[in-house]
Amino acid sequence: MLNRYKIIEIVNTTTVLIDYGFDEGAKSGDTLRIIKEGEPVIIDGVDYGTLDIVKDIIEVEVPYEKFSICKKITRKNINPIDPLISLQRTMTYINPLNVNRDQMSKRDVKNNSELIEKGDIVVLTNE
């Protein structure tokens, strides 16, 4: 079971405070998921946990004793020597898997379009 924390304050559109500080091992660069707990996944009588909605992924920027300042941080590699780098784009595709269609559950897997709110659950994943 992952340790659960929560958003204690929304500072602005780029910064939140969570109740995870260096008293609990927080360090700069820790990665966390902001989630909304989803429906239980029970297959053949085995409880696998819940299929949570991942609202976003944030990173500890500055840990304090009992809380941390967190932001959504994106890193990209830029080659300052190559003037054509601005023309390059990274495309992402989701490709189909070769699955047995008769065994598909057609479970509703929700996207991450939910708003982040004070009190939301946050779990340390370091993904």
Side-chain angles (χ1 to χ4, degrees):
M1 177 89 177
L2 297 172
N3 289 339
R4 290 176 175 247
Y5 306 99
K6 66 181 177 188
I7 293 181
I8 57 174
E9 185 176 321
I10 298 172
V11 177
N12 55 40
T13 59
T14 62
T15 307
V16 294
L17 304 182
I18 63 169
D19 64 347
Y20 169 62
F22 56 71
D23 275 1
E24 294 193 20
K27 58 188 181 308
S28 181
D30 281 348
T31 306
L32 303 108
R33 287 182 177 185
I34 302 170
I35 64 166
K36 177 178 179 183
E37 193 169 276
E39 296 294 317
V41 176
I42 300 172
I43 300 170
D44 298 330
V46 177
D47 185 349
Y48 290 95
T50 55
L51 183 60
D52 300 331
I53 297 168
V54 179
K55 292 184 172 187
D56 223 324
I57 298 173
I58 56 176
E59 187 174 307
V60 171
E61 183 179 52
V62 180
Y64 290 85
E65 185 177 348
K66 297 192 181 303
F67 71 94
S68 291
I69 297 173
C70 297
K71 296 183 177 188
K72 179 177 181 173
I73 298 174
T74 304
R75 293 172 178 82
K76 58 180 164 177
N77 297 323
I78 297 176
N79 184 352
I81 297 171
D82 186 355
L84 299 177
I85 195 72
S86 63
L87 299 176
Q88 294 179 1
R89 298 283 184 254
T90 301
M91 301 297 289
T92 302
Y93 298 96
I94 298 174
N95 296 303
L97 301 168
N98 188 21
V99 300
N100 182 335
R101 292 179 180 272
D102 294 334
Q103 295 178 355
M104 293 191 313
S105 68
K106 298 187 173 77
R107 180 187 303 270
D108 184 24
V109 178
K110 298 193 177 5
N111 63 21
N112 62 351
S113 63
E114 301 235 354
L115 293 176
I116 296 169
E117 298 179 337
K118 189 173 166 183
D120 276 351
I121 300 168
V122 182
V123 293
L124 178 67
T125 59
N126 281 330
E127 49 194 76

